[in-house]
Amino acid sequence: MALFAALGLTASPGWTASGERPVSLVAFGDSLTAGYRLPGTAAFPAVLERVLRDKGRAVTVANAGVSGDTSTGGLDRLDWSVPDGTDGVILELGANDMLRGTDPAVTRKALDTIIARLKARNIPVMLAGMKASSNLGPDYVARFDAIYPDLARTHGLILYPFFLDGIAGDKAYNLDDRLHPNVKGVETIVAGILPSVETFLDRLQAVSR
């Protein structure tokens, strides 16, 4: 539990009333996962867990989001951020790479290595994609936007193409910086990604049988 405390991770009790062990997910990402300027209960992992449980899914979703993290920063902390016993990881990184204009080849290599290292630990991955801002130019946009579908195809991953789908740049769904989702924005993200997460959970449970 010390690891979770150090990261500010949250997890629900280990077993359901029926004696079923919940599927243990880790949401591994940046401020979009961490819940920048939001209460912990309003962050993406907590809202996703609550919605899944309301649908009868026995699942915990730990918050391994670190504000400001890049894909290479995530790679550096991967081994101690995703504990042994994790059943699956929702990988959401790359937004800060894009905002800093990082060479997409660097981002691609870091994400590819994260996925490969998790697979080597027998921890399946679901990939949450990001899209580049158009002001970075068409060449950058094409190279960056190709990262996520390419990695999903290469590794056979479930892909949610754009984590901020439906809220990007909309003041109704974002904080005053227009970059980070507000409470309503997180709820919208969860509603959008939910079918993909449920497919991921079904795949995890099929493998475990």
Side-chain angles (χ1 to χ4, degrees), residues 23 57 87 124-126 152 155-159 196-209:
V23 175
R57 296 276 189 172
D87 294 311
V125 177
M126 173 183 159
H155 292 281
L157 307 182
I158 292 170
L159 170 68
S196 298
V197 175
E198 290 201 278
T199 299
F200 184 49
L201 288 171
D202 290 342
R203 181 180 290 188
L204 295 180
Q205 290 168 329
V207 169
S208 68
R209 291 192 182 104

Side-chain angles (χ1 to χ4, degrees), residues 4 7-11 25-27 30 33-35 40 43-46 61-66:
F4 280 73
L7 267 174
L9 302 184
T10 57
L25 299 182
V26 171
D30 50 37
T33 289
F44 168 74
V61 186
N63 188 340
V66 172

Side-chain angles (χ1 to χ4, degrees), residues 109-191:
K109 182 178 180 180
L111 292 174
D112 184 57
T113 305
I114 288 171
I115 294 164
R117 280 170 53 174
L118 288 170
K119 288 177 72 175
R121 295 172 59 191
N122 295 314
I123 300 175
V125 177
M126 173 183 159
L127 189 58
M130 185 52 55
K131 294 185 181 295
S133 174
S134 60
N135 64 6
L136 292 168
D139 178 67
Y140 188 95
V141 170
R143 292 173 63 216
F144 185 89
D145 288 3
I147 292 171
Y148 300 90
D150 286 355
L151 289 177
R153 280 191 296 269
T154 298
H155 292 281
L157 307 182
I158 292 170
L159 170 68
Y160 184 64
F162 185 32
F163 191 71
L164 298 177
D165 189 34
I167 75 160
D170 190 330
K171 65 181 181 181
Y173 296 99
N174 288 277
L175 302 174
D176 50 14
D177 62 8
R178 295 287 184 94
L179 294 173
H180 295 93
N182 57 24
V183 171
K184 186 177 179 181
V186 172
E187 292 171 350
T188 302
I189 290 170
V190 169

